[in-house]
Amino acid sequence: MDFFKIAILNSVLAIFSFTIMPLKDIKESFKQVDTRSLVDKVEANLVGLLHQRKLKIGDVIPKEIELAEILGVSRTVIREALLRLRVMGLIESKKKKGAVITSPDLFGVMSKGMNPHILDQESLKEFFEIRLVLEIGMSDFLFQRITPNDIKHLKEVVSQEPKATQDYLFNIEHEIAFHGKLYEITGNETMKKFQKMLLPVFDYVHHSGLLKRQPVIKKFVSHKELVKILENGTPELFRNAMRNHLENHFARLFE
Amino acid sequence: MDFFKIAILNSVLAIFSFTIMPLKDIKESFKQVDTRSLVDKVEANLVGLLHQRKLKIGDVIPKEIELAEILGVSRTVIREALLRLRVMGLIESKKKKGAVITSPDLFGVMSKGMNPHILDQESLKEFFEIRLVLEIGMSDFLFQRITPNDIKHLKEVVSQEPKATQDYLFNIEHEIAFHGKLYEITGNETMKKFQKMLLPVFDYVHHSGLLKRQPVIKKFVSHKELVKILENGTPELFRNAMRNHLENHFARLFE
DNA sequence: ATATGTATTATGTATTACATAATAAAAGTA
DNA sequence: TACTTTTATTATGTAATACATAATACATAT
């Protein structure tokens, strides 16, 4: 019985090899068939053109109907593929004009998905960690780019903090005001967008039971002291001070 | 002449107010009309459900046809809205089963758009900067999570580096092997994905004329020394050492 | 009892028609 | 002539319909 099956398989496989093979070899001979949908292929096709630099920013791509004809699929498929590119921010399409390649706003895409409620807990914790990493690591850029006006601004922020906050309490608004300003000083728009995107995450992580119970903090570097270092200190000093300032958060992560 | 126009406008506005108004007031009375497309609205509608927690991970959303009936638009519109969510990684749709809410792979979305060739130069530079920030800032996580095996692995990587690389040359493969391992040690998958996504950017930025001419470097902390610190030092020591190790890149950024 | 066929169902693809907005060309007016 | 207003034109946006395809559950046969 099996003999016939093998025979049939072999005859099928003859298209590829023209030889009789044992069953085991036969199985290995099958290539994974391409299950991608038409849209997948068209999308890959278009993205491929970008990567091969056949298309660059500002280029207009053919009209939907033309693409449909060129690629031999329906306009529906083309539209769906183009739509994907559009959601990714790779193209912009205007009526009458058609679609043009654009420099993608990577974070625009991400921020819609950045909903603390639907991110799994591990991801949330990781984003929280990245914040700490960024704020410690940004020191050199702060010193490189800070202006007297920035210092002034920071001092104002600090001066408006309730006294209690300066000592031990945690006040989310002032945190944002102060640390947000730091991101701004780095002059790195991408990093700033990243921070902005993460804000709801911080808030969420703080209020969820995701982190360990907040330990009692004895003493940590205050915003005021951080500013002082920004004014008179060095990147190295600031890194360590910031690390200390964030001790509260680290402690909750590391337990 | 203008009188008639005002009269007409007033009659139009009568739907809202039933009173005659002077031209200035009329202008202020117009509410910004919602120019969003149907798809935009449906998308906002669905995303809104996520944010309000009416929908959570694993929930299945109504069939396309049902949605079309509920919202009073064509299936085309529904499909396009769902597609957007799908591209953002918010849902997955299977034949026969329908669509279910998923925990989005934020970086999966981004990485398709992360094509050095179509990113503007400023963004590229900023991503490059973020890499430096991350690697300096990750110190505490390295020390918290590194294992003896990791140390061993790092030592092997270092030992396989050409002698020249240890002193002054820059070898992209070894850079990736070494620094990539560091990201791995942090245990932060998100950060790892981020790094992986950025790799082509680094390569591109290095080879493009984007950065200032590479200055002659006298002496900097080597990979070998970094490992030594990881083994016997402190997070603080490592941060500073890493900063020094990256001096090469900083110099090119800061001139 | 396992494997194979079959029905069902929801998404995927195709086609057609029309709506809408942006542009360019034409016509009208000062 | 210059300048505004109308009017085509054109490509994307929306709609409706029909059929293809893949996944599942159920029935059937060996």
Side-chain angles (χ1 to χ4, degrees):
Chain A
M1 189 68 105
D2 257 342
F3 173 78
F4 286 100
K5 287 188 182 167
I6 293 177
I8 292 168
L9 273 174
N10 275 334
S11 74
V12 168
L13 285 168
I15 346 174
F16 303 115
S17 63
F18 298 100
T19 57
I20 309 285
M21 297 182 259
L23 192 54
K24 192 184 163 208
D25 289 350
I26 290 175
K27 284 186 184 168
E28 287 167 358
S29 301
F30 283 109
K31 330 185 180 224
Q32 279 280 84
V33 60
D34 184 3
T35 69
R36 293 180 307 166
S37 72
L38 291 177
V39 179
D40 290 332
K41 292 174 192 166
V42 172
E43 181 198 351
N45 206 321
L46 291 169
V47 173
L49 290 179
L50 286 180
H51 283 260
Q52 297 165 40
R53 308 228 227 166
K54 309 264 186 182
L55 293 177
K56 57 181 196 304
I57 295 180
D59 285 356
V60 300
I61 59 186
K63 293 91 182 65
E64 293 176 353
I65 295 183
E66 288 175 25
L67 277 176
E69 282 167 3
I70 295 172
L71 300 177
V73 294
S74 75
R75 190 180 153 215
T76 311
V77 172
I78 299 294
R79 270 189 70 76
E80 192 158 327
L82 289 182
L83 175 54
R84 290 188 187 176
L85 300 190
R86 204 160 56 221
V87 173
M88 294 187 288
L90 295 181
I91 65 172
E92 272 178 10
S93 33
K94 293 260 181 189
K95 290 191 177 181
K96 166 89 178 184
K97 292 204 70 169
V100 300
I101 309 291
T102 61
S103 186
D105 175 15
L106 296 168
F107 289 95
V109 194
M110 269 183 100
S111 41
K112 282 191 189 173
M114 184 60 75
N115 177 351
H117 303 129
I118 62 171
L119 282 174
D120 59 288
Q121 303 222 321
E122 189 55 27
S123 298
L124 286 173
K125 187 159 149 267
E126 294 193 348
F127 279 118
F128 189 82
E129 290 181 5
I130 290 178
R131 177 217 159 166
L132 305 183
V133 170
L134 287 177
E135 299 196 4
I136 290 172
M138 67 169 58
S139 180
D140 282 278
F141 293 97
L142 290 176
F143 278 84
Q144 183 70 22
R145 292 164 186 166
I146 199 166
T147 68
N149 259 335
D150 291 329
I151 302 261
K152 205 173 136 210
H153 185 129
L154 283 174
K155 282 183 176 171
E156 274 167 27
V157 171
V158 170
S159 73
Q160 280 166 17
E161 286 179 354
K163 178 72 179 66
T165 303
Q166 291 176 34
D167 291 339
Y168 53 93
L169 266 181
F170 183 82
N171 179 312
I172 188 88
E173 275 109 49
H174 287 98
E175 279 295 306
I176 292 176
F178 184 83
H179 290 264
K181 178 62 183 173
L182 293 184
Y183 282 88
E184 199 181 315
I185 294 172
T186 66
N188 188 310
E189 282 301 314
T190 304
M191 196 142 60
K192 220 168 118 195
K193 282 182 198 166
F194 199 62
Q195 187 244 358
K196 202 169 173 186
M197 188 175 71
L198 292 187
L199 281 179
V201 174
F202 303 149
D203 197 39
Y204 181 85
V205 172
H206 268 290
H207 291 90
S208 73
L210 204 57
L211 297 183
K212 312 206 188 339
R213 193 75 218 105
Q214 184 150 352
V216 182
I217 293 303
K218 312 121 198 178
K219 180 89 181 96
F220 59 85
V221 174
S222 68
H223 287 165
K224 196 171 179 179
E225 291 169 276
L226 285 176
V227 176
K228 203 181 293 172
I229 294 174
L230 274 174
E231 200 172 10
N232 302 310
T234 66
E236 186 174 332
L237 276 173
F238 184 84
R239 275 196 294 272
N240 296 330
M242 178 60 90
R243 168 61 181 85
N244 183 308
H245 174 70
L246 298 172
E247 171 59 28
N248 203 341
H249 303 309
F250 275 102
R252 296 181 76 186
L253 282 170
F254 293 157
E255 136 77 313
Chain B
M1 189 67 109
D2 256 340
F3 172 78
F4 286 100
K5 288 187 180 166
I6 294 178
I8 293 167
L9 274 174
N10 275 334
S11 74
V12 168
L13 285 168
I15 344 175
F16 304 115
S17 62
F18 299 100
T19 57
I20 309 287
M21 297 183 258
L23 191 54
K24 191 185 163 207
D25 289 350
I26 291 175
K27 284 184 184 167
E28 287 167 358
S29 300
F30 283 110
K31 331 188 179 225
Q32 275 284 84
V33 60
D34 186 0
T35 69
R36 294 179 306 167
S37 72
L38 290 177
V39 180
D40 290 332
K41 292 174 193 167
V42 173
E43 181 198 351
N45 207 322
L46 291 170
V47 172
L49 290 179
L50 286 180
H51 283 260
Q52 296 165 41
R53 309 230 227 165
K54 310 264 185 179
L55 293 176
K56 56 181 197 302
I57 295 179
D59 285 355
V60 300
I61 58 186
K63 292 90 181 67
E64 293 177 352
I65 295 183
E66 289 175 25
L67 277 176
E69 282 167 4
I70 295 172
L71 300 177
V73 294
S74 75
R75 191 181 154 213
T76 310
V77 171
I78 298 294
R79 271 190 70 74
E80 190 158 327
L82 289 181
L83 174 54
R84 291 189 187 175
L85 300 191
R86 205 159 56 223
V87 173
M88 295 187 287
L90 295 181
I91 65 171
E92 273 180 10
S93 34
K94 294 259 183 191
K95 290 191 179 184
K96 166 90 177 181
K97 293 202 69 169
V100 300
I101 309 290
T102 61
S103 186
D105 174 14
L106 296 168
F107 289 96
V109 194
M110 268 183 103
S111 41
K112 282 190 187 172
M114 184 59 76
N115 177 352
H117 302 129
I118 61 170
L119 281 174
D120 59 288
Q121 302 223 321
E122 189 56 27
S123 298
L124 287 172
K125 187 160 150 269
E126 294 193 347
F127 279 119
F128 189 82
E129 289 181 3
I130 290 178
R131 176 217 159 166
L132 305 183
V133 170
L134 287 177
E135 298 196 5
I136 290 173
M138 66 169 59
S139 180
D140 282 278
F141 293 97
L142 290 175
F143 278 84
Q144 183 71 21
R145 292 164 186 166
I146 198 166
T147 68
N149 259 335
D150 292 328
I151 302 262
K152 205 173 135 210
H153 185 127
L154 283 174
K155 282 183 175 170
E156 274 167 27
V157 171
V158 170
S159 74
Q160 281 167 16
E161 286 180 355
K163 177 74 179 64
T165 302
Q166 291 175 33
D167 291 339
Y168 53 93
L169 267 182
F170 182 81
N171 179 313
I172 188 89
E173 275 108 47
H174 287 97
E175 280 295 307
I176 293 175
F178 185 83
H179 290 264
K181 179 63 184 173
L182 293 185
Y183 283 87
E184 199 181 316
I185 295 171
T186 65
N188 188 310
E189 282 301 314
T190 304
M191 196 141 60
K192 220 168 118 196
K193 281 182 199 166
F194 199 61
Q195 187 243 359
K196 202 170 175 186
M197 187 175 72
L198 292 187
L199 281 179
V201 173
F202 304 149
D203 197 38
Y204 180 86
V205 172
H206 268 290
H207 291 90
S208 73
L210 203 58
L211 297 182
K212 311 205 188 338
R213 193 75 219 104
Q214 183 148 353
V216 183
I217 294 303
K218 312 119 199 183
K219 181 88 181 98
F220 60 86
V221 174
S222 69
H223 287 166
K224 196 172 180 178
E225 292 168 278
L226 285 176
V227 175
K228 202 181 297 171
I229 294 173
L230 273 175
E231 199 172 9
N232 302 310
T234 65
E236 186 173 331
L237 276 174
F238 185 84
R239 275 196 294 271
N240 296 330
M242 178 59 90
R243 169 60 181 84
N244 184 309
H245 174 70
L246 297 173
E247 171 58 28
N248 202 341
H249 303 308
F250 275 103
R252 295 181 78 187
L253 282 169
F254 292 159
E255 133 80 311

